[in-house]
Amino acid sequence: MSEERQAQYFNLIDELLRCPNGQEPEVLESHPELIDANLVQTMLQVATMFAHEGNQDGAQFLFFIGRELAKQLGLYPEVSNEVVNKE
């Protein structure tokens, strides 16, 4: 990942953190070229840093957004609620 691309990810994460509650989808939709596995990874790294610095709200927010993006990208396995019966 280039430094320029990483800077774009950080800028998008910053924009998400500053946007009004509920406008996150619009922010993400305005940057479709940045929605990929590396963005999710970068979000989780920033969230982890936030958690270590005591910014629990920021960490939880980024973990949530990262998980949702991972699901949309097919990177996060969907767990079925069905019980598998073994006979």
Side-chain angles (χ1 to χ4, degrees):
M1 176 179 3
S2 71
E3 286 184 30
E4 180 182 340
R5 183 74 170 187
Q6 191 165 26
Q8 291 172 331
Y9 291 144
F10 289 140
N11 288 336
L12 177 54
I13 291 167
D14 188 51
E15 195 175 335
L16 285 166
L17 290 167
R18 289 184 288 111
C19 78
N21 191 21
Q23 291 190 356
E24 298 85 1
E26 290 86 357
V27 171
L28 291 169
E29 288 169 9
S30 68
H31 301 284
E33 73 284 358
L34 295 176
I35 310 298
D36 60 18
N38 287 326
L39 172 62
V40 173
Q41 180 181 6
T42 303
M43 279 186 170
L44 298 181
Q45 290 171 342
V46 172
T48 301
M49 181 187 69
F50 279 1
H52 286 293
E53 292 176 350
N55 181 353
Q56 299 305 317
D57 291 340
Q60 287 179 345
F61 172 77
L62 289 178
F63 280 128
F64 175 79
I65 298 291
R67 184 174 61 239
E68 292 304 308
L69 286 175
K71 287 179 185 177
Q72 290 177 12
L73 293 169
L75 305 171
Y76 193 90
E78 286 293 327
V79 178
S80 175
N81 289 332
E82 296 176 21
V83 176
V84 177
N85 292 324
K86 293 185 179 181
E87 296 182 28

